[in-house]
Amino acid sequence: MTTHLDSPIALPHGQKLANRFMKSALSESLGDRDGGPSERLERLYGRWADGGYGLVVTGNVMIDRRHLGEPGNVVVEDDRHLDRLRTWASGFQDGGTPLWMQVNHPGRQANALVGRNRPVAPSAIQAKVPGAVKPRALEDAEIREIVDRYAAAAAVAERAGFAGVQIHGAHGYLVTQFLSPRTNQRDDAWGGDPERRRRFVLEVLRAIRATTSRGFGVGIKLNSADFQRGGFTEEESREVVRSLVADDIDLIEISGGSYEAPAMMGTMRASTAAREAYFLEYAASVRDVAGDVPIAVTGGFRSATAMESAVASGDCDIVGLGRPTCLLPDAPRAILRDGRATLPTARVQAGLRPVLGKVADLKQLDGALDLSWHTDQLHRLGAGKEPDPGRSWAEAALWLGLRNGPGAFRAQRG
């Protein structure tokens, strides 16, 4: 039966998606030690290439090897890994599913375990997350150089055969840090009011457009808000959407929160819970601002009924799937061809809560464990194994510590 979910959609610059399912970005931590993509990463994406998605987005490709989000990030600064990047992208070119590279700079969320350089950010304000290091405020020339790095990474991605890039503008990374008044307290051309705070992301978009072909897709993952007092608001986010549309963005994926206030991990308003998607109400509110630019919503979708309703109503155009794809790599095919009604889900929380609550922020710890547990599933898929839904929180904690060091468990309060 034909539904809204299996209807094609065209992006403003000409790309056509076969259906309304997007594999949203998940940080895989499967790059080689030199920052290139590994065979395990290619094997993982081979599973998604055959999954029936309209669009697949990679996770967290870094634009500066001095500043990484976590161990195992792929890094694209120049052509040094071009052949391996071509191999990674080639698995999608015959099947018709576009593969986009998510490009990112962690800013103050750089992982101290894998970088010897002090993190940088719009302002010298430390994140209240485990293991965070106080960043150094960027100079004007450094900001311009980072803008150029985004463009350089996009140009390499196009030469490698990727169909587009997605700017990571959510979850507390550098673009978000420029947008939020909590983290951007500058009073120069890059901060001081909402217009100047959004200049950075607009310069990044313009630079990418200037160095890639017109048919190359450029999207963004954007916070609806950062859900912190005095932070980036939905009203400011709507103005960012308006400006991005004016500067020729192809696709806007809505998310929200940061690792200080992880709304993307599952905190919903009661009115939203019945519709499953965490950020659907906000997406509907910017539909008129976005015009012809498709809106994707990621976070919370689990039932085919809720997905169909969201697209049929026009509240969003594309359903983004993240964590469920770790357990069911071919989720769209399972829904569209096999009639599957719901997707698998796992809610991972720490045990021993009365004890751990005395030494760690349980909300942040649960979020870290949930991410680690799902990363473990990606590593299994990359190794040619099947997912393990029965994996315990303790195993996730062990691998979290091995990957990120003991700082991953330190409480940050204040």
Side-chain angles (χ1 to χ4, degrees), residues 176-207:
T176 316
Q177 292 162 32
F178 271 97
L179 290 172
S180 174
R182 283 179 61 94
T183 48
N184 182 353
Q185 298 181 4
R186 305 175 72 96
D187 58 2
D188 61 0
W190 304 98
D193 56 47
E195 183 176 1
R196 284 180 287 172
R197 286 197 296 272
R198 61 179 175 263
R199 179 187 173 191
F200 178 75
V201 67
L202 295 177
E203 293 289 349
V204 168
L205 172 58
R206 293 163 187 161

Side-chain angles (χ1 to χ4, degrees), residues 136-403:
R136 174 180 60 81
L138 287 159
E139 300 289 340
D140 179 86
E142 293 176 304
I143 296 172
R144 297 176 188 276
E145 190 257 347
I146 291 173
V147 170
D148 290 341
R149 283 180 174 273
Y150 277 97
V156 172
E158 184 172 26
R159 289 197 291 275
F162 287 80
V165 294
Q166 182 190 64
I167 302 162
H168 199 334
H171 303 171
Y173 292 107
L174 185 62
V175 169
T176 316
Q177 292 162 32
F178 271 97
L179 290 172
S180 174
R182 283 179 61 94
T183 48
N184 182 353
Q185 298 181 4
R186 305 175 72 96
D187 58 2
D188 61 0
W190 304 98
D193 56 47
E195 183 176 1
R196 284 180 287 172
R197 286 197 296 272
R198 61 179 175 263
R199 179 187 173 191
F200 178 75
V201 67
L202 295 177
E203 293 289 349
V204 168
L205 172 58
R206 293 163 187 161
I208 291 173
R209 281 288 182 218
T211 54
T212 57
S213 67
R214 179 164 179 80
F216 188 71
V218 185
I220 188 168
K221 187 174 196 138
L222 180 69
N223 267 5
S224 59
D226 59 22
F227 298 96
Q228 293 178 282
R229 187 184 300 275
F232 186 60
T233 65
E234 291 188 356
E235 289 73 19
E236 288 178 277
S237 185
R238 273 189 280 273
E239 290 307 308
V240 175
V241 169
R242 192 186 307 276
S243 298
L244 291 167
V245 169
D247 278 348
D248 285 342
I249 199 79
D250 270 305
L251 175 63
I252 299 172
E253 178 189 3
I254 300 300
S255 190
S258 69
Y259 292 106
E260 289 184 329
M264 66 285 193
M265 300 301 293
T267 302
M268 290 184 281
R269 299 173 182 171
S271 60
T272 308
R275 305 169 76 195
E276 296 186 12
Y278 308 151
F279 310 109
L280 195 59
E281 290 178 0
Y282 169 80
S285 77
V286 297
R287 178 68 277 167
D288 60 329
V289 177
D292 294 333
V293 176
I295 298 289
V297 171
T298 300
F301 281 119
R302 295 297 181 267
S303 74
T305 299
M307 299 174 203
E308 172 69 16
S309 174
V311 176
S313 68
D315 287 349
C316 71
D317 303 289
I318 295 171
V319 171
L321 299 177
R323 286 175 289 173
T325 71
C326 302
L327 296 173
L328 189 64
D330 61 345
R333 180 172 291 119
I335 291 173
L336 296 176
R337 187 187 69 184
D338 302 333
R340 183 167 182 136
T342 59
L343 298 182
T345 184
R347 187 72 176 174
V348 183
Q349 291 186 315
L352 307 174
R353 300 183 76 79
V355 176
L356 291 176
K358 296 179 180 179
V359 296
D361 182 320
L362 287 177
K363 187 176 181 179
Q364 290 182 355
L365 178 58
D366 288 341
L369 289 175
D370 190 275
L371 287 171
S372 180
W373 190 93
H374 285 89
T375 300
D376 294 345
Q377 307 298 339
L378 299 183
H379 286 204
R380 289 182 63 85
L381 291 168
K385 302 177 182 178
E386 291 303 310
D388 176 16
R391 195 172 187 83
S392 70
W393 73 268
E395 290 175 285
L398 172 63
W399 283 101
L400 175 64
L402 291 174
R403 278 192 291 263

